[in-house]
Amino acid sequence: MEGIDLSGVDPTRWPEIRRRVAILDEYCAIPERTQRSRRAFARRLGVGEAHFSSLAQIWRERRDPADLPGARAHHPPKPANRLPAASTDVARAVIADLGAMARRRDILSEVRSRCENAGVMPPSAATITNMLAAARASLDEATTFDPEILVDSCAAKLPARHRGGVVLPRLLVAVQLPERVIIAYEMSLDTTVPPSVESLAASIRAAADPSGRPLRIRAPHLGVSEQALIGATVLRGKPTGLPTLTQLLAPAIGDIPLVFQISRAISADALVRIRNVSPLSRRDVQAALDQAVATHNSRRPAPVAFIPAGQPAA
């Protein structure tokens, strides 16, 4: 059952969809199915007989896990926007003028200023933030940021099993600019042990090309010893205007939402209370993240060859 194609299934549904497929396969293999067997299998699946018959028919005809009900997350419809169209038009114009990679606070300030000048109510900060995130997610061209590798941390909004509990996987990610390609990442499920800087450094070196151009590594939120371990450039003073991981990756890697402020995130325990969502094994989390990174990178321009700054070119 591990070998079924789950590429179109929400990763948080993988365990439940595997369970459903196993039961449906067993049922469909019965030569002469009766009402009694259908009733028994419906009970095992936890659904009514009519619903089970529908699931069995879908599985017999398509054999695609993504087509089974419950394979994808269903988000409730957003409440109707009560703002005048002029307000959201202003926000869209600001994002277009300043660019999707502009700092959030600059976007918010400019939207409020233009709305005030136009005499219309400005959208809420949350509405503008969502619009900005959508614009960033759809951006498939290189940014105007200087070439570098940014290393920073976040968490994946995936419920993961760890030592009898449920946690959000913590990530340490290396993103190559200006293309926003993820060249490496490390994961930790242990809330007391951060993702390995040493392993990430090794992955960055493995992705390098001796004939490539030198690229600095910037890791603004790592400690001094970790920056040295990863070969990061320590910038003097407090330079402003440099890109952040939130700008580059929010709101998601592929279809996996990211969390940049853990204290404000929904708990992993709350996630598994959602219908059809189950905690994932480490293996499933790794597979889901690998798939998401591949999807993310496929939507970006091909990055140029590089070597970490300070290493001699060929």
Side-chain angles (χ1 to χ4, degrees):
M1 204 44 55
E2 292 292 328
I4 63 173
D5 180 10
L6 295 172
S7 56
V9 179
D10 186 316
T12 63
R13 269 74 172 168
W14 284 359
E16 174 60 17
I17 292 301
R18 284 197 190 103
R19 186 183 78 88
R20 292 187 177 194
V21 167
I23 292 173
L24 290 169
D25 267 341
E26 186 179 344
Y27 174 75
C28 292
I30 298 174
E32 296 183 8
R33 295 179 288 274
T34 64
Q35 183 178 9
R36 181 178 180 181
S37 62
R38 183 171 63 249
R39 185 179 301 120
F41 275 85
R43 280 199 300 267
R44 286 176 57 186
L45 206 55
V47 298
E49 286 186 57
H51 188 192
F52 180 81
S53 294
S54 174
L55 291 175
Q57 182 177 357
I58 291 172
W59 186 242
R60 282 195 303 270
E61 294 177 353
R62 307 179 201 172
R63 295 196 64 81
D64 185 348
D67 287 339
L68 292 174
R72 296 182 177 91
H74 294 284
H75 302 288
K78 294 181 179 179
N81 191 342
R82 299 180 183 276
L83 286 170
S87 298
T88 51
D89 287 346
V90 168
R92 290 191 185 95
V94 169
I95 293 172
D97 292 345
L98 272 62
M101 285 296 132
R103 292 184 301 179
R104 174 179 173 273
R105 66 183 182 184
D106 292 340
I107 295 286
L108 292 174
S109 176
E110 183 64 16
V111 170
R112 288 167 183 156
S113 176
R114 292 192 191 185
C115 283
E116 183 178 352
N117 292 337
V120 298
M121 180 183 297
S124 68
T127 296
I128 299 170
T129 299
N130 290 338
M131 294 173 68
L132 181 59
R136 288 171 175 172
S138 64
L139 185 66
D140 58 4
E141 59 191 32
T143 68
T144 58
F145 295 127
D146 291 337
E148 67 172 356
I149 296 170
L150 174 64
V151 174
D152 212 337
S153 58
C154 60
K157 200 172 179 181
L158 289 174
R161 291 199 306 268
H162 182 69
R163 294 181 180 174
V166 186
V167 300
L168 297 180
R170 292 195 293 166
L171 309 178
L172 187 64
V173 187
V175 183
Q176 183 173 345
L177 295 172
E179 301 86 2
R180 288 195 299 159
V181 168
I182 297 172
I183 59 174
Y185 78 91
E186 286 296 317
M187 174 190 75
S188 175
L189 300 184
D190 191 331
T191 57
T192 65
V193 179
S196 171
V197 175
E198 186 174 7
S199 294
L200 187 75
S203 295
I204 293 174
R205 289 193 296 270
D209 184 331
S211 63
R213 67 179 178 184
L215 272 190
R216 77 176 182 190
I217 298 175
R218 184 167 60 89
H221 298 112
L222 293 184
V224 174
S225 60
E226 293 171 319
Q227 288 184 335
L229 181 63
I230 209 168
T233 300
V234 179
L235 303 180
R236 294 183 178 181
K238 295 182 178 180
T240 60
L242 296 176
T244 65
L245 198 65
T246 306
Q247 283 176 284
L248 302 178
L249 296 185
I253 297 175
D255 293 325
I256 296 178
L258 298 179
V259 177
F260 296 92
Q261 291 181 290
I262 301 296
S263 60
R264 297 184 179 181
I266 184 174
S267 71
D269 287 326
L271 283 178
V272 297
R273 288 196 289 271
I274 299 173
R275 181 177 174 83
N276 295 326
V277 170
S278 304
L280 304 178
S281 66
R282 182 182 185 89
R283 179 179 177 182
D284 274 351
V285 171
Q286 194 80 61
L289 288 169
D290 287 346
Q291 178 178 293
V293 168
T295 299
H296 170 92
N297 287 347
S298 71
R299 298 169 180 166
R300 309 289 172 247
V304 300
F306 74 92
I307 60 169
Q311 293 190 12

